[in-house]
Amino acid sequence: RKEDDNILSLYEGLTGNILKEGPPSALYLGVYESVKYSLLPLYGPQYKLLIYLAAGAAGELVGSVVRGPAEAIKSTVQSGIAGSASE
């Protein structure tokens, strides 16, 4: 049925997106939690906001190292410059 094709088309590219976003997200959360739990005992609850901001920045920095190349590959494939991710 045509309706089934339309609904299933919503999930095209889901596997690739999970593979692209999974590792950077896992790295982000791991670094965020590690930095947060390392800094909280050193500086105390009065600096909670700054600690959360620093932990988020550190997590995003590490996650971006993995996410950046994957985004470049995705953009190249979507623009038509390359036919597939392996090119």
Side-chain angles (χ1 to χ4, degrees), residues 24-79:
S25 296
L27 283 170
Y28 170 84
L29 287 174
V31 171
Y32 174 83
E33 291 295 328
S34 296
V35 170
K36 182 176 77 170
Y37 285 111
S38 296
L39 294 179
L40 273 173
L42 292 175
Y43 296 102
Q46 67 269 26
Y47 293 106
K48 221 178 207 182
L49 177 62
L50 291 175
I51 291 169
Y52 290 167
L53 289 172
E60 193 59 42
L61 177 71
V62 173
S64 294
V65 169
V66 175
R67 186 178 292 117
E71 279 293 324
I73 292 168
K74 180 194 77 155
S75 297
T76 302
V77 170
Q78 285 181 338
S79 69

Side-chain angles (χ1 to χ4, degrees), residues 5-27:
D5 290 340
N6 290 338
I7 291 171
L8 292 177
S9 68
L10 292 172
Y11 298 99
E12 287 180 14
L14 180 62
T15 303
N17 197 42
I18 289 172
L19 291 173
K20 178 179 72 74
E21 291 298 326
S25 296
L27 283 170

